[in-house]
Amino acid sequence: MSNYRKSMIGNHKLHPETQMMGYGYDPQLSEGALKPPVFMTSTFVFENAQAGKKFFELAYGKREASEGEETGLIYSRINNPDLQVLEDRLALWEDAEKCLTFSSGMAAISTALWAYLRPGDVIVHSAPVYGGTEYLIRNILPMFGVKSVEFEAGGANPTLEPAIREAQKLGRVAVIYTETPANPTNDLVDIQACADMADAVSKHQGDRPVVMVDNTFLGPVWQHPLKFGADIVLYSLTKYVAGHSDVVAGAAVGSASALAPLQGFRTILGTMCDPMSGWLIMRSLETLKIRMEAAALNAAKVADHLKAHPKIGQVNYLGFLSDDDPTYPIYRDQCGSAGATFSFNVIGDEAAAFRVLDALQIIKLAVSLGGTESLMEHPYAMTHSDVPDDVKERLGITESMLRISVGIENADDLIADLDQALARI
Ligand SMILES: *Cc1c(COP(=O)(O)O)cnc(C)c1O
């Protein structure tokens, strides 16, 4: 194994945070440059015609790769060195065989669903899911004959099994899709239960539904869905992974066989990531762990402060789950941290919540999450504005709810900012 793909020193297995500085990149191929250059090129020159022919045979699956043979560089919609190194590094966090990067989280999610759903199929999904995903499932997939059934995140997921039974009546259950912790309620879904359900369905229908998990909130540092039986892990890299609120990108992680249909679709749909974004995300990966840890430490302090604040009602912070809560075992077994994004309710109505947002001095009023800076927003009127009001009420998304993505500033400064803003209620 060449030095740039090193994963062990003797019997010692290297950790991802170490490997982010060098894995998958051979300086000798780039004039000795310590860091990978940005390969701003649309196409690649073949050494000779025979080499070009062999690359295409492999890329289009016309023959199996021979021992040690890798797909040659052809064209940046198919592959690019920055994206290959980035994909190798992202896969390491989850001990996964393969990763594919996309132009956005929604590009990853829509390409994955399109690759696996056919007319007449049913997707079973947890609720709530990210607004764009919800729109895709509710409004776009039905145009192509795909039906959906939802189950509620939280409460030990008692609605999962009835949802599967209902879906089986409607057609072939092709995908079980979840997002956990759910946005903005932080309700949890038991990934292992979804995988077990996929096994049970496969006994009836022959083929097994593909289990997909949107792991944007806790992963890839704190939650590893593949270990709980998921087939494909999806990311908005825009959030914690890129982490500086300056890139939009996405990823899918899993086994080579689970990702093969996505790779084919990505090539034809053109939903791949671009080299410059890929390079920026590689830089971000070097600090991923320390950024997420710093944000989580801050979030714990901010959450504690809010919980004790007289103008605050419920705080939906995972660290506050009591051990008699039915979802506590999911949190204990599945999540490595309470994370750094959570929602809470102010005492009052929409106007009170808006007064707090408008008074913030350090924390920015913006949607998105997972950046170095703290952001706050109003889910009811902003990120979840499209969700029907009765569904919002059912899921506990109220007009007095605010969501905060805690960044890596000084926690005391954030608390001072929140205190002066809450004084406006
Ligand atoms: C932001 C987000 C997405 C969509 O990602 P984009 O990069 O904006 O396309 C999907 N899922 C979750 C949980 C997100 O937070």
Side-chain angles (χ1 to χ4, degrees):
M1 182 62 59
S2 43
N3 228 21
Y4 69 92
R5 288 258 172 85
K6 213 173 180 46
S7 58
M8 308 281 287
I9 293 181
N11 290 330
H12 175 81
K13 189 172 191 296
L14 296 172
H15 294 80
E17 60 268 32
T18 304
Q19 291 173 297
M20 291 308 106
M21 285 34 150
Y23 188 84
Y25 168 65
D26 180 0
Q28 298 320 314
L29 295 176
S30 297
E31 310 275 6
L34 174 73
K35 290 295 183 191
V38 196
F39 287 87
M40 293 295 257
T41 185
S42 58
T43 195
F44 297 86
V45 179
F46 302 137
E47 237 169 75
N48 52 51
Q50 189 59 29
K53 177 180 175 180
K54 285 177 72 178
F55 288 178
F56 268 95
E57 283 172 352
L58 206 56
Y60 286 177
K62 293 171 85 172
R63 65 176 171 85
E64 292 291 306
S66 54
E67 183 74 23
E69 185 185 8
E70 292 182 31
T71 313
L73 293 160
I74 297 175
Y75 182 70
S76 286
R77 179 157 42 74
I78 300 171
N79 51 19
N80 175 284
D82 290 297
L83 303 183
Q84 288 183 333
V85 177
L86 171 64
E87 288 168 353
D88 286 350
R89 289 184 189 175
L90 275 168
L92 288 175
W93 289 94
E94 305 185 55
D95 257 329
E97 199 176 357
K98 195 173 168 74
C99 169
L100 296 169
T101 52
F102 292 85
S103 53
S104 67
M106 282 312 301
I109 292 164
S110 55
T111 305
L113 291 180
W114 202 349
Y116 276 102
L117 291 162
R118 297 291 173 269
D121 283 352
V122 191
I123 171 172
V124 175
H125 70 93
S126 59
V129 287
Y130 178 73
T133 311
E134 154 93 16
Y135 191 92
L136 176 65
I137 294 172
R138 194 183 288 267
N139 299 307
I140 296 182
L141 291 179
M143 295 180 201
F144 300 90
V146 174
K147 302 179 196 95
S148 66
V149 178
E150 65 175 46
F151 67 96
E152 271 173 45
N157 314 141
T159 54
L160 171 60
E161 200 175 339
I164 295 277
R165 260 188 264 119
E166 189 191 334
Q168 284 178 300
K169 283 183 214 141
L170 297 175
R172 182 184 79 119
V173 183
V175 174
I176 301 177
Y177 184 99
T178 80
E179 187 180 311
T180 179
N183 171 19
T185 54
N186 267 348
D187 283 331
L188 297 174
V189 176
D190 185 341
I191 298 168
Q192 185 67 58
C194 293
D196 293 345
M197 209 52 86
D199 290 340
V201 170
S202 71
K203 296 212 176 77
H204 288 267
Q205 74 182 25
D207 54 350
R208 186 176 179 276
V210 180
V211 178
M212 301 185 188
V213 179
D214 181 334
N215 200 33
T216 300
F217 263 53
L218 287 183
V221 175
W222 291 319
Q223 185 166 265
H224 302 113
L226 299 175
K227 293 198 165 63
F228 299 93
D231 300 298
I232 296 178
V233 185
L234 296 160
Y235 285 103
S236 170
L237 300 176
T238 313
K239 313 296 166 56
Y240 286 102
V241 175
H244 295 71
S245 305
D246 53 8
V247 181
V248 173
V253 178
S255 69
S257 62
L259 293 187
L262 278 71
Q263 186 157 14
F265 271 64
R266 183 182 69 169
T267 292
I268 299 307
L269 298 175
T271 46
M272 71 292 158
C273 187
D274 67 283
M276 187 67 215
S277 301
W279 187 90
L280 284 166
I281 298 165
M282 263 193 274
R283 158 168 286 210
S284 294
L285 282 177
E286 298 183 10
T287 56
L288 175 63
K289 188 156 184 252
I290 59 168
R291 277 186 290 108
M292 291 192 81
E293 282 173 351
L297 279 175
N298 275 356
K301 290 181 192 162
V302 169
D304 277 340
H305 185 80
L306 291 174
K307 194 181 179 191
H309 198 287
K311 303 245 174 92
I312 299 290
Q314 187 172 320
V315 181
N316 301 311
Y317 173 65
L318 280 175
F320 296 155
L321 268 188
S322 65
D323 46 15
D324 57 0
D325 188 284
T327 54
Y328 184 79
I330 307 175
Y331 174 58
R332 183 194 56 209
D333 299 341
Q334 205 172 272
C335 311
S337 164
T341 298
F342 61 92
S343 58
F344 56 92
N345 292 300
V346 298
I347 307 283
D349 51 8
E350 181 189 85
F354 279 16
R355 277 203 295 281
V356 174
L357 289 177
D358 289 339
L360 293 168
Q361 295 179 20
I362 304 284
I363 301 167
K364 301 283 190 296
L365 166 54
V367 299
S368 197
L369 55 103
T372 46
E373 68 288 294
S374 298
L375 303 179
M376 266 171 74
E377 63 111 6
H378 187 264
Y380 197 96
M382 296 170 191
T383 46
H384 294 68
S385 143
D386 234 17
V387 180
D389 288 354
D390 59 313
V391 178
K392 282 192 275 211
E393 292 301 334
R394 182 158 50 79
L395 298 171
I397 304 169
T398 65
E399 288 178 286
S400 63
M401 179 186 267
L402 294 172
R403 187 187 75 186
I404 184 165
S405 165
V406 181
I408 63 170
E409 305 94 334
N410 182 290
D412 293 338
D413 296 348
L414 299 176
I415 288 169
D417 194 18
L418 284 164
D419 275 349
Q420 65 79 26
L422 286 165
R424 307 294 177 97
I425 295 181

